[in-house]
């Protein structure tokens, strides 16, 4: 008996759990996070194998100190990154700030959930139809 469908189903389950976990984390940022304005000092691209990484150097005030750090984002919001943006961070963790527009767009979790769902459907099709 062929058990490739079982392997595919396990991979899909892991991907689905990862996507749901990230989506819940981003929703928590939006609900409980502290919003601050930041100034984008510089944007840069880093070219990797089959992928481009986007980073913005930002400066913002949080918890009584000025923080300057680099924040990653996806290509889907590249055109939305302006000179002044809003960041969201969890209380006590300003070094883990994310762009508000990145969180509102789902941060790339939607594609993970869609791919995982397609793999589940394919796995079930392989299981029942051989």
């Amino acid at each position: 008996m062929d058990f490739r469908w079982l392997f595919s189903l396990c991979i899909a389950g892991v991907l689905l759990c990862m996507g749901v976990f990230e989506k819940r984390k981003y929703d928590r940022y939006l609900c409980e996070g502290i919003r601050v304005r930041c100034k984008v000092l510089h944007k840069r691209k880093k070219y990797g194998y089959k992928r481009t990484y986007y980073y913005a150097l930002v400066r913002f005030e949080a918890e009584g100190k000025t923080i300057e750090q680099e924040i990653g984002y996806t290509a889907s919001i590249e055109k939305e990154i302006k000179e002044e943006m809003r960041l969201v961070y969890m209380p006590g963790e300003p070094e883990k700030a994310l762009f508000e527009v990145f969180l509102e767009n789902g941060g790339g979790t939607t594609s993970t959930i869609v791919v995982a769902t397609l793999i589940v459907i394919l796995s079930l099709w392989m299981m029942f139809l051989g």
Side-chain angles (χ1 to χ4, degrees):
M1 184 169 208
D2 190 11
F3 288 104
R4 284 182 290 188
W5 62 269
L6 185 62
F7 179 70
S8 298
L9 203 57
C10 289
I11 290 176
V14 168
L15 281 175
L16 196 58
C17 288
M18 286 172 42
V20 168
F21 176 76
E22 286 293 310
K23 181 68 175 148
R24 288 190 61 187
K25 182 176 93 173
Y26 293 156
D27 287 345
R28 188 169 158 248
Y29 262 81
L30 287 172
C31 290
E32 301 172 16
I34 299 170
R35 287 166 171 75
V36 294
R37 285 226 170 268
C38 74
K39 183 167 180 63
V40 177
L41 304 174
H42 177 70
K43 294 191 304 187
R44 74 177 177 95
K45 294 180 189 178
K46 179 182 172 190
Y47 297 100
Y49 180 70
K50 293 186 178 181
R51 186 168 176 207
T52 303
Y53 299 92
Y54 297 88
Y55 299 97
L57 181 65
V58 299
R59 180 182 299 141
F60 61 100
E61 297 283 330
E63 300 179 354
K65 51 187 171 176
T66 302
I67 298 173
E68 193 171 299
Q69 72 180 43
E70 213 170 42
I71 297 178
Y73 59 93
T74 59
S76 62
I77 66 165
E78 166 69 18
K79 295 197 180 358
E80 297 179 42
I81 301 295
K82 307 284 188 253
E83 196 172 305
E84 287 208 10
M85 297 289 297
R86 287 177 57 114
L87 293 177
V88 180
Y89 67 90
M90 295 304 288
E93 299 178 330
E95 66 279 349
K96 294 182 180 177
L98 296 171
F99 286 114
E100 186 176 43
V101 67
F102 176 74
L103 295 169
E104 289 170 348
N105 289 346
T109 58
T110 307
S111 59
T112 304
I113 293 172
V114 168
V115 168
T117 304
L118 290 175
I119 293 173
V120 166
I121 292 169
L122 180 66
S123 300
L124 293 174
W125 182 56
M126 287 170 49
M127 181 176 73
F128 289 117
L129 299 178

